[in-house]
Amino acid sequence: VEKGLTLDPKSVPTLIVAARIAASSGNFGQAADYSRRLAETDRRSRSDHLMNVARLEVQMGRSAQALAAANESARELRAEMERREIFVGQATKLAHLAQELSAVSTVEQVARVVTTTGRDVLDAAFANIAVVDADRRKVQIVHSPPLPAEMAERYSHLELSDDLPLAHAVTRGEI
């Protein structure tokens, strides 16, 4: 185990085995040290490793250290819950976007969904989408609210022959 940790000091499987061996042989201090290293290395299971540290500290009669490790584990769990709530919110928005997209069938309808619901999924303040016509002569641009209607109309289309950066990028195949 020590040789493995010398070769790779951050090897999660090796640190887990080292902590178990140390704990099963009664070396709780060493097991706690390995568990602390695990908590720093294996961020996905950080709260579990910190709870192991707390249990080992209790076995050694070090209640202050056990309480500190348990409190840190609790903070990690709260942070993980917050991350998961954000993930669930994003997944819900994506599901809503997929549902809206599955209900439309024209390019214009898809553009509207992307510039409204798609914008919301990305937490963007604004979105637009440009669609090249079948003849590759014009670009239709759909803007999301809150762009004022008169501005959205003014910039709703362009000719690919226009001397504009967007027209050049489209004709060169860059977008």
Side-chain angles (χ1 to χ4, degrees), residues 21-43:
I21 290 171
S24 65
S25 64
N27 190 346
F28 301 126
Q30 185 67 45
D33 290 341
Y34 285 131
S35 292
R36 281 188 187 87
R37 285 173 60 183
L38 276 162
E40 293 305 313
T41 304
D42 183 15
R43 304 297 288 184

Side-chain angles (χ1 to χ4, degrees), residues 44-74:
R44 289 179 297 173
S45 299
R46 182 170 167 73
S47 62
D48 294 333
H49 299 308
L50 289 168
M51 279 310 298
N52 286 337
V53 170
R55 287 185 201 100
L56 292 161
E57 293 291 356
V58 165
Q59 288 183 311
M60 292 184 291
R62 300 182 343 187
S63 57
Q65 291 88 338
L67 185 58
N71 283 334
E72 191 174 349
S73 176

